[in-house]
Amino acid sequence: MKHLLGIAGMSRESLDELLVLTDSFAEINARAIPKVPALRGKTVATLFFEDSTRTRLSFETAAKRLSADTLSFSVSSSSVKKGESLRDTALTLEAMRIDAVVVRHGSSGAPWQLARWLDCSVLNAGDGWHEHPTQALLDAFTLRQRFGSLDGLRVAIVGDIKHSRVARSNVWAFTALGAEVVLVAPRTLLPPSLEGWPVQMSEDLDAVLPTVDVVYLLRMQLERQNEALVPTLREYTARFGLTVDRAARLADRAVVLHPGPMNRGVEIAPEVADLERCLVLDQVANGVSVRMAVLFKLLAGADGSTASEELDRAGNG
Ligand code: NCD
């Protein structure tokens, strides 16, 4: 595996393999000194053309805990402002002998394009509305940690699915791992066609809630909406928000996930965001472990040694 571009097309075996590898890094992250020398001498650059809090900090933390060097590029303070193209920006990074580029870009497909131009590994940290593979892996890991397995779980993904790369990656990851997915949104917030998506659909959150193990909430991605897709945010909250009353009707074992950033009071009531069953901070913690596993998988052992030998060394280092 050289790149991590998307979840679509990944087999259950390869997803499972990454989740099992993540267990080792979760163990390292629980140590007093959560750092191993596994990627010493490697350099990881983050190339973010869109805003981010969690994803970027998480990738940087993951790389540092593996002892890789990190470089951080943000468009607002770079020569992209002077008209430099994506390709020239990328080739500049590569000329510095970077081993991996973590890219977030507003255009769907940008990471695939980079992977064609560059020799180093490319990791997709979100491309337009298309994919956000490490988010899906950390969500799957969080559910596996809570329930033991995703097999047979029923997951409702609620909200602005049309503009959500998180929803797209998660539909593939959750269903490949044996869960059943129901999308809950007004028609205007669903993609124009769901042909080929292995999902059910509903516009009735109240009917769906008592039937699910997981409610996965999405933010209204207003920056991507160039027309009014819901009458008002208040009406959206009234029909599709996870209010205190609605949360009280969830099954006892049901959990709530959200990729962040949350808009408290819109898709999730402030009190619900603070419930024990809301796993947002577990998701963030697991994000570091998952990204360590992915960086390790892509970058370690490129010199011929196997991943498990490297990890033994990392564990003992
Ligand atoms: C999301 C993103 O940017 O795709 N956030 C994240 O990475 N955790 C979702 C969002 O912006 O709503």
Side-chain angles (χ1 to χ4, degrees):
M1 188 169 170
K2 179 159 183 198
H3 307 294
L4 179 68
L5 299 174
I7 300 288
M10 278 178 82
S11 66
R12 179 174 188 148
E13 292 66 40
S14 43
L15 293 170
D16 273 332
E17 193 195 325
L18 284 171
L19 297 179
V20 169
L21 188 56
T22 302
D23 285 327
S24 314
F25 292 100
E27 184 272 309
I28 290 168
N29 280 326
R31 295 180 189 170
I33 300 176
K35 185 158 176 160
V36 291
L39 294 186
R40 199 160 50 195
K42 306 278 185 192
T43 305
V44 176
T46 54
L47 187 59
F48 276 55
F49 291 84
E50 276 191 354
D51 297 342
S52 168
T53 302
R54 269 154 295 273
T55 306
R56 181 182 196 133
L57 288 175
S58 181
F59 266 111
E60 287 181 15
T61 305
K64 286 180 200 295
R65 289 191 182 168
L66 293 167
S67 306
D69 294 313
T70 56
L71 292 177
S72 159
F73 170 101
S74 54
V75 169
S76 53
S77 58
S78 74
S79 287
V80 170
K81 289 270 176 228
K82 303 179 188 168
E84 191 163 31
S85 70
L86 176 62
R87 181 157 197 255
D88 286 328
T89 304
L91 292 176
T92 301
L93 285 172
E94 189 163 72
M96 296 175 188
R97 293 193 46 216
I98 304 289
D99 299 287
V101 175
V102 177
V103 61
R104 170 169 285 192
H105 200 282
S107 300
S108 298
W112 279 259
Q113 189 59 54
L114 277 180
R116 278 192 287 274
W117 287 329
L118 301 179
D119 281 333
C120 68
S121 291
V122 177
L123 293 91
N124 183 359
D127 65 317
W129 306 358
H130 182 217
E131 280 251 26
H132 192 349
T134 55
Q135 180 70 44
L137 289 168
L138 75 89
D139 292 331
F141 186 82
T142 303
L143 292 178
R144 178 174 163 278
Q145 194 173 52
R146 185 73 170 205
F147 293 105
S149 151
L150 274 74
D151 267 314
L153 289 184
R154 186 166 153 82
V155 184
I157 301 182
V158 185
D160 184 3
I161 289 150
K162 181 175 183 178
H163 301 99
S164 176
R165 52 193 173 212
V166 172
R168 283 174 180 74
S169 289
N170 269 334
V171 163
W172 299 119
F174 293 167
T175 54
L177 292 165
E180 177 184 308
V181 174
V182 51
L183 304 179
V184 185
R187 278 235 62 99
T188 50
L189 292 180
L190 287 173
S193 162
L194 287 171
E195 213 183 303
W197 291 44
V199 295
Q200 301 158 21
M201 257 166 30
S202 171
E203 288 191 69
D204 187 350
L205 181 61
D206 290 304
V208 168
L209 282 182
T211 72
V212 297
D213 306 292
V214 182
V215 185
Y216 196 103
L217 298 171
L218 297 169
R219 181 177 68 87
M220 290 287 268
Q221 290 161 77
L222 298 170
E223 76 280 15
R224 303 189 195 281
Q225 301 180 6
N226 41 24
E227 56 196 323
L229 296 175
V230 292
T232 62
L233 283 183
R234 265 171 83 117
E235 282 175 65
Y236 175 81
T237 306
R239 278 188 67 200
F240 294 98
L242 191 60
T243 58
V244 173
D245 284 352
R246 287 198 174 109
R249 295 201 297 273
L250 284 167
D252 285 346
R253 71 184 209 131
V255 297
V256 178
L257 266 60
H258 192 305
M262 288 191 282
N263 287 155
R264 288 179 186 239
V266 182
E267 72 274 14
I268 188 166
E271 301 83 349
V272 175
D274 296 328
L275 293 176
E276 194 272 332
R277 67 163 84 220
C278 179
L279 305 184
V280 174
L281 295 177
D282 294 275
Q283 290 171 273
V284 175
N286 290 333
V288 176
S289 306
V290 156
R291 291 175 175 117
M292 286 172 81
V294 170
L295 285 169
F296 180 81
K297 171 90 183 147
L298 299 184
L299 297 183
D303 57 357
S305 53
T306 65
S308 59
E309 281 166 24
E310 285 279 339
L311 195 56
D312 284 344
R313 261 187 272 154
N316 299 333

